[in-house]
């Protein structure tokens, strides 16, 4: 038996189990939190242009968690104001980031954590992110087919940056 192949399959299986564990026990296909639904906000500039609509949507659809994409070029005050308003409605906001290249370039998650640490240290209690949500999807990289074992090892090292 090839140990490297077994390790690769085991790691992929463990990641898939961890990824899907939160969906067991629900009877719907939506992302369901313990006390409501969740959704992703991939365009953070909506916080500046459409925050009223976004919060109204969340309230009217029982959304209790928003995963909001981080854009380091956006003013931190926009995040703070939105999180403050969301917090007042008992909506948790998580910092969202990631891309396939995060699996091979440790500087990307490090930059995210650096930005987030600086943000959290300057934010008021009702302006802080509740946590982080990372979306990497390394299977989209060409290395997934050509060098999966190396990619998975590099991905794990990159993920350790977030711990």
């Amino acid at each position: 038996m090839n140990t490297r192949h077994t390790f690769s399959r085991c790691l992929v299986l463990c990641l898939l189990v961890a990824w899907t564990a939160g969906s067991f026990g629900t009877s719907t296909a939506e992302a369901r939190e313990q006390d409501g639904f969740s959704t992703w906000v991939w365009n953070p500039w909506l916080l500046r242009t459409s925050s009223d609509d976004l919060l109204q949507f969340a309230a009217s659809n029982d959304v209790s968690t928003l995963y909001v994409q981080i854009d380091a070029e956006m003013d931190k005050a926009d995040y703070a104001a939105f999180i403050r308003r969301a917090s007042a409605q008992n909506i948790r906001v998580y910092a969202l980031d990631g891309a396939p290249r995060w699996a091979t370039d440790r500087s990307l998650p490090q930059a995210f954590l650096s930005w987030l640490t600086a943000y959290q240290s300057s934010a008021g209690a009702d302006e802080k992110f509740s946590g982080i949500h990372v979306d990497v999807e390394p299977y989209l990289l060409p290395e997934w087919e050509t060098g999966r074992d190396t990619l998975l090892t590099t991905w794990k090292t990159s993920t350790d940056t977030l711990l």
Side-chain angles (χ1 to χ4, degrees):
M1 178 182 286
N2 183 338
T3 306
R4 290 180 56 159
H5 186 65
T6 302
F7 170 76
S8 175
R9 282 187 169 190
C10 182
L11 184 57
V12 170
L13 178 62
C14 288
L15 292 170
L16 287 173
V17 168
W19 178 58
T20 59
S23 64
F24 293 123
T26 61
S27 60
T28 62
E30 296 90 2
R32 180 89 170 139
E33 298 293 321
Q34 194 169 15
D35 59 344
F37 292 95
S38 61
T39 193
W40 292 260
V41 180
W42 293 106
N43 180 357
W45 295 93
L46 292 174
L47 305 185
R48 180 181 285 174
T49 62
S50 304
S51 62
D52 291 339
D53 294 336
L54 186 53
L55 290 172
Q56 183 178 10
F57 170 84
S60 63
N61 289 284
D62 197 25
V63 172
S64 59
T65 304
L66 295 171
Y67 302 108
V68 177
Q69 176 70 41
I70 299 303
D71 184 333
E73 294 180 17
M74 197 166 141
D75 191 337
K76 290 178 182 177
D78 291 323
Y79 287 105
F82 180 78
I83 294 170
R84 187 173 45 252
R85 292 181 60 211
S87 295
Q89 292 183 231
N90 294 317
I91 298 171
R92 293 178 304 273
V93 179
Y94 283 69
L96 165 66
D97 209 349
R101 281 287 163 210
W102 277 38
T104 59
D105 185 349
R106 288 182 72 185
S107 70
L108 299 172
Q110 287 170 340
F112 168 68
L113 284 180
S114 184
W115 182 94
L116 186 59
T117 300
Y119 174 87
Q120 294 286 82
S121 67
S122 66
D126 61 346
E127 299 171 342
K128 293 181 186 281
F129 288 97
S130 296
I132 65 170
H133 187 82
V134 177
D135 185 12
V136 177
E137 302 180 20
Y139 56 84
L140 296 175
L141 295 171
E143 294 94 320
W144 189 258
E145 298 300 325
T146 61
R148 188 174 301 172
D149 290 342
T150 301
L151 177 61
L152 290 172
T153 301
T154 306
W155 183 23
K156 186 204 176 300
T157 302
S158 183
T159 302
D160 288 345
T161 303
L162 299 168
L163 301 176

